[in-house]
Amino acid sequence: MTANTEIHGILAYPVTPFTADQQIDTGKLAALVERLVASGAHGIVPLGSTGESAYLTEAEFDAVIDTTIEVVDRRVPVIIGASDLTTANTIRRAQYAERAGADAVMVLPISYWKLSEREIAQHYAAIGAAIGIPIMVYNNPATSGIDMRPELLVQMFKDIDNVTMVKESTGDLSRMHRIAELSGGQLPFYNGNNPLALKAFNAGAKGWCTAAPNLRPQPCLDLYDAVRAGDSARAESLYEELRPLLEFIVAGGLPTTIKGGLELLGQGVGVPRLPLLPLDDAGREELRRLLAVS
């Protein structure tokens, strides 16, 4: 386990770099993860939507895990996105992450068929029985097509030993209040909706899962520090500074916008994998303005 296994604060999502011939660029991944840790991120979360996990082979998936955990070297917690269409392969990914030294896994229920709550609960129960590290249940209906009610999330927290936290990405602040109410404040929740960052912290979110630190790490960290210090005026000012960028990266698709931004910052990591496309010219110019680069 890491020296500080409390999962809190700014949880940074690295993109997955590719070479010109669309192979995983582990050297650039290592450099990106190192920059995120060195910048002060409180945790690293590879292989989520930002990391293009849906478009990776299993060998590539494992390579991202190995590279990330080696570079982080237990300085901060590593939470591996382990989601897949099948329970069996989600378990394979989660078990690989555990063996590699991950502190937790994050699981989004994704399926071709819309899953019932009974099927969702069984999916998480099977994963929980197969590993010994915590599970962050990830609710993001915009990408998965499955929306988990707070009642289901809290019930799984009660029923499955290593379901210990929730990433709530609907952008509905009332969900976070409901999770806190139903669990008596016992179920930690994390914000996964970038434009909701400040409101989510004010609602009691323990952390912010975000790709923004790839481009602007310090304002994200400063926002968290201001919230913790109770400095609402500074927190509001920092959020207003960040808000246009947060809205842009979400609207344009995180792998596309983050990779475009890194290129503009002189830290290029290749283009997204098809069917995703790089930013168009108008998008590049808008992002150039938001990042204030020439």
Side-chain angles (χ1 to χ4, degrees):
M1 299 293 284
T2 62
N4 178 10
T5 55
E6 182 191 6
I7 296 173
H8 72 100
I10 303 302
L11 306 178
Y13 283 15
V15 292
T16 299
F18 296 118
T19 62
D21 60 354
Q22 284 288 293
Q23 302 301 305
I24 296 281
D25 192 328
T26 54
K28 287 187 175 179
L29 175 61
L32 175 59
V33 171
E34 178 59 37
R35 285 199 301 271
L36 290 169
V37 175
S39 74
H42 302 100
I44 303 295
V45 191
L47 296 167
S49 307
T50 303
E52 299 178 71
S53 60
Y55 307 130
L56 303 182
T57 68
E58 294 307 294
E60 290 172 334
F61 189 93
D62 295 351
V64 172
I65 293 176
D66 292 338
T67 300
T68 302
I69 289 176
E70 180 180 2
V71 170
V72 173
D73 194 23
R74 304 194 179 280
R75 288 175 288 173
V76 296
V78 175
I79 306 145
I80 299 292
S83 313
D84 193 60
L85 281 167
T86 67
T87 301
N89 203 48
T90 304
I91 288 173
R92 189 212 74 79
R93 291 177 168 191
Q95 288 178 330
Y96 191 94
E98 181 176 24
R99 289 195 302 271
D103 295 284
V105 292
M106 179 181 70
V107 177
L108 177 76
I110 50 177
S111 184
Y112 180 85
W113 295 103
K114 185 176 180 180
L115 301 179
S116 67
E117 290 195 346
R118 181 172 66 95
E119 289 166 330
I120 293 168
Q122 178 56 41
H123 180 64
Y124 282 99
I127 299 162
I131 60 175
I133 56 177
I135 298 170
M136 174 185 281
V137 178
Y138 178 15
N139 188 43
N140 190 353
T143 57
S144 71
I146 295 171
D147 189 5
M148 292 180 284
R149 299 180 304 125
E151 289 79 4
L152 174 61
L153 296 170
V154 173
Q155 192 60 53
M156 291 195 296
F157 170 63
K158 293 176 179 177
D159 292 345
I160 304 169
D161 287 345
N162 45 351
V163 166
T164 63
M165 49 192 157
V166 168
K167 176 187 171 187
E168 184 29 77
S169 298
T170 60
D172 181 354
L173 197 65
S174 69
R175 301 290 189 98
M176 297 181 182
H177 290 300
R178 185 66 173 152
I179 289 168
E181 176 189 357
L182 290 171
S183 70
Q186 296 303 301
L187 175 53
F189 58 87
Y190 299 77
N191 175 50
N193 182 280
N194 281 293
L196 198 70
L198 180 55
K199 290 181 179 179
F201 275 134
N202 290 337
K206 195 169 182 181
W208 174 21
C209 304
T210 177
N214 289 279
L215 306 180
R216 297 289 306 278
Q218 197 58 52
C220 298
L221 296 162
D222 291 344
L223 173 61
Y224 178 61
D225 289 342
V227 170
R228 293 188 84 183
D231 190 342
S232 58
R234 177 162 169 73
E236 183 67 36
S237 174
L238 288 161
Y239 171 72
E240 286 303 317
E241 176 191 344
L242 272 171
R243 183 173 55 81
L245 177 65
L246 299 178
E247 292 174 348
F248 178 87
I249 63 175
V250 171
L254 291 170
T256 294
T257 55
I258 297 301
K259 286 187 171 182
L262 286 169
E263 181 184 357
L264 290 172
L265 293 171
Q267 301 166 3
V269 292
V271 298
R273 181 168 279 180
L274 293 170
L276 301 181
L277 292 173
L279 276 175
D280 59 20
D281 290 343
R284 282 175 55 86
E285 287 310 305
E286 176 63 10
L287 187 51
R288 187 187 303 277
R289 183 187 69 80
L290 290 169
L291 296 175
V293 293
S294 56

